[in-house]
Amino acid sequence: MVKYLVFKYLRFDKTQPFISLCAILAFLGVSIGVAVLIIAMAIMNGFDKEFERKLFTMNYPITILSPFKEGVSKEDLQNLKANFKDIKFSPFISSQVIIKNTNKLEGGMIFGVNLDDEKEINSVVKDGAKNINLDNFGILIGKGLKDEFLIKDGDKITLLFAKNDAAGFSLMPKMKRFEVKSSFSSGLIAYDKSYIYANINDLAKILGYKNGKFDGIHIYSKDPFKDKDKINAVLPDRLVAVGWWEQNGNFFSALALEKRALFIVLMLIILVASLNIISSLLMTVMNRRQEIALLLSLGASKSEVKKVFFYIGMVIGGGGMVFGLIMGILGVWILGSFDIVNLPADVYGSSKLPMELSKFDLISIIIGSFIVVTLSSYYPAKKSTQVDVLSTLRNE
């Protein structure tokens, strides 16, 4: 009986078309809400992963620093290489600089590195450096700087260092002319306009570093979360290993908060659509009061009547969920496979819309939508059992 009545009440009623129209709108509302939520979460995840990949490369998985400014020694590097043979290391010297070319000035950060070691851990530097060498005061600059100063390979620019030289009764900033050998593009304008790479020995001479002394060590690890703790365990107290996620914690916390807020806001679309389920079911109950009263008088239980209207709501809402899932996953595939939306690469790090739908988000969407649809179906179903049988049969 329950199955028969469900299909009977779901059929289009020509005498009451508005009720059927509400059911169709509820179905479409849930479908669109689920589809939009899936696509939005895929875009947010895609941007998260894209930024994470860029920051993972340019900020390095793990960096060893000296909080007390004592620096890292060659012996520290050799000890790390002996203990972690499967991890790649690249010592560096760094300094803040002002880039000067003609009348333009720009702030930046210069890293003195061993280019062969740096290529092993930084794919961006590897792609930009190709077969060049940075000996004799050559530098590798970001594409943003190159475009800003209209520099070509082989041109020379002046770098002003934060460290000063004595000049009579005053101090003069250290200055040095470098030859631009090549450029790199990380996809993030903040790095392309500020990072510069030079030979570690050349930079050590300019800054007056002793032989075998570094500011830190960049490390490439396939599992930085575990390796960071292992490295800290063997480091002396004057050194500390810092993960890339710790250096960008606020950024990713903001992204996570934005993602949660977007999920809640878009879930409201499904909640609003579920109100149509409630209204259409309540109108169906009101329109079918005589039939409900008759069924109850003939021996049908309240549980069976409740099931009829609950199943109607679940068919409308559940069908909308399934249709929305299909539309959402299809939309994610289309947007991820074809260049329908073009983005400015210097702002977003990619010209293509990044799409990545995680299993956790998909399951959360399904569970959240199912709860909303279930609650929307339960209330009208419960109201259907509260029909006054005697009064209804007597008066209607």
Side-chain angles (χ1 to χ4, degrees), residues 176-368:
K176 181 64 183 176
R177 295 272 286 175
F178 285 83
E179 180 184 352
V180 177
K181 294 292 186 75
S182 185
S183 63
F184 65 86
S185 177
S186 68
L188 294 175
I189 192 67
Y191 296 105
D192 291 350
K193 290 190 70 173
S194 60
Y195 274 24
I196 301 172
Y197 292 89
N199 182 278
I200 192 169
N201 296 321
D202 292 341
L203 196 58
K205 290 177 185 177
I206 296 171
L207 299 177
Y209 277 59
K210 294 180 181 179
N211 186 34
K213 281 289 183 179
F214 319 113
D215 285 331
I217 302 172
H218 289 145
I219 300 173
Y220 177 80
S221 166
K222 293 181 179 179
D223 191 354
F225 292 94
K226 290 183 179 179
D227 289 336
K228 171 182 166 287
D229 294 331
K230 294 178 182 178
I231 291 170
N232 272 323
V234 302
L235 286 176
D237 293 338
R238 58 187 172 82
L239 301 178
V240 62
V242 181
W244 67 271
W245 61 93
E246 296 171 310
Q247 295 173 320
N248 300 277
N250 291 337
F251 176 74
F252 284 104
S253 295
L255 285 179
L257 179 61
E258 184 180 355
K259 182 179 172 183
R260 285 196 295 270
L262 184 65
F263 181 88
I264 294 170
V265 169
L266 293 179
M267 186 60 74
L268 292 177
I269 297 177
I270 301 174
L271 183 60
V272 171
S274 69
L275 296 178
N276 281 334
I277 297 177
I278 297 174
S279 62
S280 65
L281 285 179
L282 286 176
M283 284 188 290
T284 303
V285 170
M286 294 299 294
N287 190 48
R288 304 286 182 174
R289 282 195 306 173
Q290 289 178 312
E291 295 180 23
I292 295 171
L294 187 59
L295 287 170
L296 292 173
S297 66
L298 291 175
S301 66
K302 289 186 176 181
S303 174
E304 288 177 320
V305 173
K306 183 189 292 185
K307 284 181 181 179
V308 170
F309 292 96
F310 181 76
Y311 289 161
I312 292 172
M314 292 304 296
V315 169
I316 296 171
M321 284 176 53
V322 173
F323 188 61
L325 284 170
I326 295 171
M327 285 198 305
I329 293 172
L330 184 62
V332 170
W333 178 78
I334 291 172
L335 290 172
S337 302
F338 303 100
D339 293 332
I340 297 174
V341 179
N342 290 317
L343 303 174
D346 58 343
V347 177
Y348 296 101
S350 173
S351 60
K352 187 178 179 181
L353 192 64
M355 304 292 291
E356 184 166 333
L357 181 62
S358 70
K359 291 181 180 178
F360 176 79
D361 285 336
L362 184 61
I363 293 171
S364 298
I365 291 168
I366 293 172
I367 293 175

Side-chain angles (χ1 to χ4, degrees), residues 360-380:
F360 176 79
D361 285 336
L362 184 61
I363 293 171
S364 298
I365 291 168
I366 293 172
I367 293 175
S369 303
F370 182 79
I371 291 172
V372 170
V373 169
T374 302
L375 293 177
S376 301
S377 303
Y378 178 79
Y379 175 72

Side-chain angles (χ1 to χ4, degrees), residues 48-217:
D48 281 359
K49 296 298 181 183
E50 187 68 19
F51 284 129
E52 183 178 312
R53 185 178 65 83
K54 297 292 185 182
L55 292 172
F56 184 87
T57 301
M58 296 307 295
N59 277 9
Y60 304 92
I62 304 173
T63 302
I64 293 177
L65 300 169
S66 175
F68 306 106
K69 305 299 180 183
E70 295 181 19
V72 182
S73 67
K74 192 173 183 179
E75 289 73 23
D76 295 325
L77 177 61
Q78 290 172 344
N79 181 47
L80 287 168
K81 287 183 176 179
N83 282 284
F84 303 97
K85 298 185 183 297
D86 56 336
I87 297 178
K88 298 174 183 178
F89 302 88
S90 176
F92 69 90
I93 295 172
S94 64
S95 175
Q96 292 179 325
V97 294
I98 295 176
I99 305 105
K100 181 179 182 296
N101 190 42
T102 61
N103 294 323
K104 288 185 177 181
L105 295 173
E106 190 76 43
M109 177 72 71
I110 187 169
F111 293 92
V113 297
N114 182 319
L115 193 56
D116 290 335
D117 291 339
E118 192 68 15
K119 285 180 179 179
E120 290 291 319
I121 69 169
N122 191 321
S123 60
V124 172
V125 170
K126 183 179 180 180
D127 294 339
K130 298 182 177 66
N131 296 320
I132 66 166
N133 68 74
L134 300 178
D135 298 337
N136 299 318
F137 302 100
I139 55 173
L140 175 71
I141 66 174
K143 188 177 182 299
L145 273 177
K146 194 173 184 180
D147 295 340
E148 179 80 16
F149 289 104
L150 302 176
I151 301 171
K152 297 181 293 184
D153 292 347
D155 289 350
K156 292 192 174 183
I157 59 173
T158 301
L159 299 184
L160 285 74
F161 291 82
K163 189 172 183 179
N164 296 322
D165 281 333
F169 294 102
S170 63
L171 294 174
M172 292 288 291
K174 284 182 177 290
M175 301 173 62
K176 181 64 183 176
R177 295 272 286 175
F178 285 83
E179 180 184 352
V180 177
K181 294 292 186 75
S182 185
S183 63
F184 65 86
S185 177
S186 68
L188 294 175
I189 192 67
Y191 296 105
D192 291 350
K193 290 190 70 173
S194 60
Y195 274 24
I196 301 172
Y197 292 89
N199 182 278
I200 192 169
N201 296 321
D202 292 341
L203 196 58
K205 290 177 185 177
I206 296 171
L207 299 177
Y209 277 59
K210 294 180 181 179
N211 186 34
K213 281 289 183 179
F214 319 113
D215 285 331
I217 302 172

